[in-house]
Each structure stands twice: as structure tokens, then as C-alpha cells.
Amino acid sequence: MDEDKKVSKALFLYTKEWGGTKTDQNMPTVFLIDKKGVVQFKYHSQYTNDRPTAEYIERIVQKML
């Protein structure tokens, strides 16, 4: 858990206003990081319901292996 939101703030994913809503929140984002610590995939959602499917992420992970 990131109770102090240190990671979210460092990645600029924490905001007090987003999508017309004024409240403290993290913007939904998916990162896939390889064994060397390099980001291979990043998806920054516009809404909480537009994230990539598990099948799509699985295909990306398979390419990373």
C-alpha cells in the first residue's frame, strides 16, 4: 500500500481534479516492467472502465518473455 501516495505523486498519477471530478484520486494506469526494470508497456486510462483486457495484457507479457 502507498498510504502517503509517494509512488503515485512521483509518477504524476495523483491528482485532485480529473475527468470533471474534484477529489483526491489516482489516475488509473497500467505498467508492465521487464526483468531489467524497463517499462515495456504503459496504458493511462481516461476512465476507470477503459483498461486493457487481461487477454491483451497476457499477449504483451508473452512478447516480453
Side-chain angles (χ1 to χ4, degrees):
M1 297 298 294
D2 184 24
E3 291 182 27
D4 296 327
K5 299 172 183 65
K6 290 180 183 179
V7 174
S8 299
K9 289 177 180 178
L11 295 171
F12 303 102
L13 300 175
Y14 177 78
T15 184
K16 293 184 181 256
E17 183 175 350
W18 181 67
T21 303
K22 293 183 180 184
T23 184
D24 294 354
Q25 58 190 318
N26 288 307
M27 293 178 278
T29 306
V30 175
F31 290 98
L32 295 178
I33 302 168
D34 67 16
K35 293 178 182 179
K36 296 179 182 177
V38 177
V39 175
Q40 294 294 325
F41 176 82
K42 175 185 174 189
Y43 185 84
H44 185 77
S45 297
Q46 296 299 314
Y47 305 97
T48 56
N49 61 354
D50 73 338
R51 296 179 184 129
T53 64
E55 292 80 15
Y56 185 80
I57 291 175
E58 183 179 10
R59 286 195 307 254
I60 293 169
V61 169
Q62 290 300 323
K63 289 180 182 181
M64 291 170 54
L65 297 177

